[in-house]
Amino acid sequence: MDETVKIEREKRRIQRKRKRQRSSIVTIMILFILASVGVVSAQTQGYEVFYHGESLGYVQNSGVFKSAVDRIETNLRECYNYDNLHLGNGFELLPARVENPMDLDTCVNVLNSKGIALYVDGAAVLVDGEKIGTMTSLTDAESVIAAYKNLSNNKNTSGITCVEVTVPLSETKDFATMLTALKVHLK
């Protein structure tokens, strides 16, 4: 009987050992899978760039997008000779998995090809609170108002003011056009 008890004990010990080995193997596999998923997702994490809901592509980090916008704005400021020019609002960066991110030059090319509206920190010319038009700077608006007041000998010019606004560049008027608009409105 002693022999049988020893054999039974040995069988139970071996079964417990196998059970521990199986649970250890399962635990190690789960940890390996979790670590692999974490490494893969960390390597592919980036941002998807949207402009008014339309996807423009993916960037590895937000710095690439900001650098592309800065480069475009600098080029546009030199081209238009306005220091207060910037790309329109409506951009959104959402975290996403990235498989083929854009580099800086590609991002610049994509943004240039989308026809994104240009905005300027300009001024609106108002007559008695009614907007007559907008100009590319507050200084230009004040110059037009001063020129109109000189031309009209200060008659009927008390309600002419200007306020700073951000407007699309396409909606701004040059000096002569704004002066004409003031003359027509205040006849």
Side-chain angles (χ1 to χ4, degrees), residues 153-166:
N153 297 323
N154 291 326
K155 296 177 188 171
N156 195 20
T157 61
S158 61
I160 303 173
T161 59
C162 59
V163 293
E164 286 186 290
V165 292
T166 300

Side-chain angles (χ1 to χ4, degrees), residues 123-127 137-143 145 159-165:
V125 176
L126 308 171
V127 175
S137 73
L138 185 62
T139 307
D140 290 347
E142 289 169 344
S143 297
I145 292 171
I160 303 173
T161 59
C162 59
V163 293
E164 286 186 290
V165 292

